[in-house]
Amino acid sequence: MASRDSDYGAFMEKFVLQPSSSAHQLPLSGLTFAIKDIRFDVDGHVTGFGNPDWARTHSAATSTAPAVLAVLSGGATSIGKTIMDEMAYSINGENKHYGTPTNPWAPDRVPGGSSSGSAVAVGAKLVDFSLGTDTGGSVRVPASYCGIFGFRPSHGAVSTAGVIPMAQSFDTVGWFAWDPKILNRVGRVLLQLPDDASLVRPSQVIFAEDCLQLSSIPSDRITQGLVKSVEKLFGGQIVENVILGDYVKDKVPSLQHFIGEGNREQEYSIPSLAALSSARGLLLRYEFKNNHGDWVTTVKPDLGPGISEHVWEAVRTSAENIDVCQSVKTELRAALSALLGDYGILVIPTVPGPPPKLQMDPSALEVFHAQAFSLLSIAVVSGFCQVSIPLGLHDNLPVAISLLAKHGSDGFLLNLVETLHDTLKEELQE
């Protein structure tokens, strides 16, 4: 790991926010955390959204986001706000204005975005946990790249009040931790769940074979430890496989609108999941335009390479096929709910490979990002909860796997990750 003499360029602004009352015996007592600068309002501070023009044209917040208040009330202490990608419109973690936080496990690689600083602060153990947001992948991707746990909750499960919206159909407040016990404790506070670590046994653990084949990392390296851990804890009879692309194609008929219409991504990805990513991207751009189009066209902000093109593409988006996107959401949630039931788990790679090198040409990452979003869109469009679990290093770079559970099953998923951890750690060390 890189030296920890600095803050790894993770922080935008340092300040201390302490619990409003005595923190003794509270669930998060003694823990420190960081807050993504994007979207989380903190009373008296400007919410910068990763861009100096945004900070210049917006005044300080007059209240604090409920998600931040919740963890403060839980006994945690904040030490500041972290750097993020401009307007949350990237999964790389590079920011031309404020610098790119250093990936603590791979300094020559991107930290992942858009919650880059939040992930780096946890990965470097500068804090115990951090708050991020995940609209398209902005918690799960940097968690994978920085070798830590990252949780995207069920859509709507954690309040997004006091958080600058990107696309309300997909926006979630997520969190990072380097320890699954802390991940669970933070989750129970944010999700307002009872402090109950008792595990409901999973009914099935389904490995998406076609998704796992998208990864450039050998499938056995990603799945073997998890399969053995599940077999030891719950028995091999609950392990199953699925060709997820075929299942989604059959069960989500509205995706036909997005399949085969000159979509180049489908050439090197799973066609139905590439179509799912297309539907996600269209609805995201449309809602981003409704939220921020007027500001972008009036201010004409200075945006970094790649991000500028995405933002202006969003500003030009029309309402065509938006109703179809809503149908895709409804159909996908029903289809995956039927596949998993109340206590099933779906297993996919978080991303299709290790973190890319810094400052790569965007065109060189086109295939990687297309494959990544086909995986990331499964939870985004269905609204299901997803956790990215670190699996150590492969060729000296962080590796991760993801578990998804039905919408509303966040507590079950958090407990499962904590239960699996010790056995999984033993399997990975063998």
Side-chain angles (χ1 to χ4, degrees):
M1 180 181 274
S3 163
R4 291 182 180 165
D5 295 338
S6 70
D7 68 2
Y8 289 74
F11 284 91
M12 183 78 196
E13 179 185 6
K14 286 195 171 181
F15 53 79
V16 176
L17 288 177
Q18 293 181 313
S20 55
S21 57
S22 173
H24 296 302
Q25 296 184 323
L26 291 172
L28 305 182
S29 296
L31 299 182
T32 58
F33 74 102
I35 306 163
K36 183 178 182 179
D37 184 45
I38 171 176
R39 310 162 74 172
F40 290 98
D41 286 347
V42 173
D43 191 9
H45 297 261
V46 175
T47 307
F49 214 10
N51 180 272
D53 289 322
W54 182 277
R56 176 177 57 80
T57 55
H58 289 79
S59 54
T62 56
S63 61
T64 298
V68 176
L69 291 175
V71 292
L72 288 170
S73 298
T77 299
S78 170
I79 65 168
K81 281 192 168 189
T82 56
I83 286 175
M84 55 164 288
D85 292 80
E86 298 173 77
M87 302 190 82
Y89 229 126
S90 173
I91 58 170
N92 282 346
E94 296 173 299
N95 188 308
K96 80 164 191 174
H97 303 287
Y98 302 123
T100 299
T102 302
N103 187 324
W105 290 105
D108 64 334
R109 304 286 175 137
V110 298
S114 64
S115 308
S116 51
S118 292
V120 166
V122 171
K125 295 194 176 180
L126 305 174
V127 291
D128 296 301
F129 72 94
S130 61
L131 298 181
T133 57
D134 191 313
T135 301
S138 294
V139 165
R140 294 161 292 161
V141 173
S144 173
Y145 290 177
C146 291
I148 57 175
F149 293 87
F151 198 90
R152 175 192 165 96
S154 298
H155 185 256
V158 178
S159 172
T160 54
V163 176
I164 299 171
M166 186 179 190
Q168 287 89 334
S169 288
F170 305 134
D171 287 343
T172 63
V173 169
W175 58 99
F176 302 92
W178 49 264
D179 176 88
K181 290 183 174 63
I182 295 174
L183 189 82
N184 199 350
R185 284 161 63 189
V186 173
R188 292 191 171 277
V189 168
L190 287 170
L191 294 156
Q192 300 178 12
L193 297 172
D195 187 15
D196 176 16
S198 61
L199 176 69
V200 176
R201 175 191 171 90
S203 57
Q204 53 194 336
V205 177
I206 304 175
F207 289 77
E209 288 184 11
D210 49 344
C211 295
L212 290 160
Q213 287 167 8
L214 282 182
S215 178
S216 62
I217 297 161
S219 182
D220 282 356
R221 174 62 184 86
I222 303 174
T223 62
Q224 200 165 40
L226 181 60
V227 169
K228 287 184 176 179
S229 299
V230 169
E231 288 173 347
K232 276 187 181 178
L233 290 168
F234 310 114
Q237 72 278 1
I238 69 168
V239 176
E240 299 178 16
N241 295 296
V242 69
I243 305 299
L244 190 65
D246 290 350
Y247 180 83
V248 168
K249 185 178 180 181
D250 290 343
K251 302 292 185 180
V252 187
S254 294
L255 274 181
Q256 290 302 321
H257 290 267
F258 299 97
I259 289 179
E261 293 182 0
N263 189 339
R264 284 187 60 236
E265 293 176 5
Q266 293 173 27
E267 295 172 19
Y268 37 72
S269 193
I270 299 162
S272 62
L273 299 187
L276 191 67
S277 178
S278 297
R280 171 207 54 84
L282 174 58
L283 185 52
L284 186 151
R285 290 190 297 273
Y286 179 72
E287 293 187 353
F288 181 93
K289 171 191 174 179
N290 290 342
N291 290 321
H292 306 301
D294 288 346
W295 180 82
V296 171
T297 52
T298 302
V299 174
K300 296 181 174 59
D302 179 17
L303 298 167
I307 291 174
S308 178
E309 291 85 343
H310 287 312
V311 166
W312 283 102
E313 181 186 12
V315 169
R316 292 189 291 269
T317 299
S318 75
E320 186 181 358
N321 280 335
I322 294 302
D323 56 335
V324 183
C325 295
Q326 299 292 354
S327 298
V328 169
K329 282 180 62 187
T330 303
E331 292 167 9
L332 183 69
R333 182 177 295 190
L336 293 184
S337 297
L339 178 68
L340 297 184
D342 288 338
Y343 299 111
I345 293 292
L346 180 66
V347 183
I348 63 172
T350 306
V351 287
K357 290 184 178 177
L358 288 163
Q359 297 180 326
M360 282 186 69
D361 187 307
S363 62
L365 290 173
E366 192 176 314
V367 172
F368 183 88
H369 281 166
Q371 292 176 334
F373 280 118
S374 71
L375 297 168
L376 296 164
S377 294
I378 298 164
V380 172
V381 181
S382 66
F384 278 29
C385 48
Q386 178 175 342
V387 62
S388 182
I389 300 174
L391 298 176
L393 303 179
H394 178 73
D395 290 342
N396 293 316
L397 294 171
V399 180
I401 199 164
S402 270
L403 310 183
L404 285 78
K406 183 181 173 183
H407 184 272
S409 297
D410 305 67
F412 160 65
L413 186 56
L414 286 164
N415 281 349
L416 178 62
V417 173
E418 188 174 338
T419 301
L420 281 168
H421 179 64
D422 288 343
T423 307
L424 184 56
K425 198 172 178 181
E426 288 170 14
E427 290 296 337
L428 293 173
Q429 288 171 349
E430 284 185 2

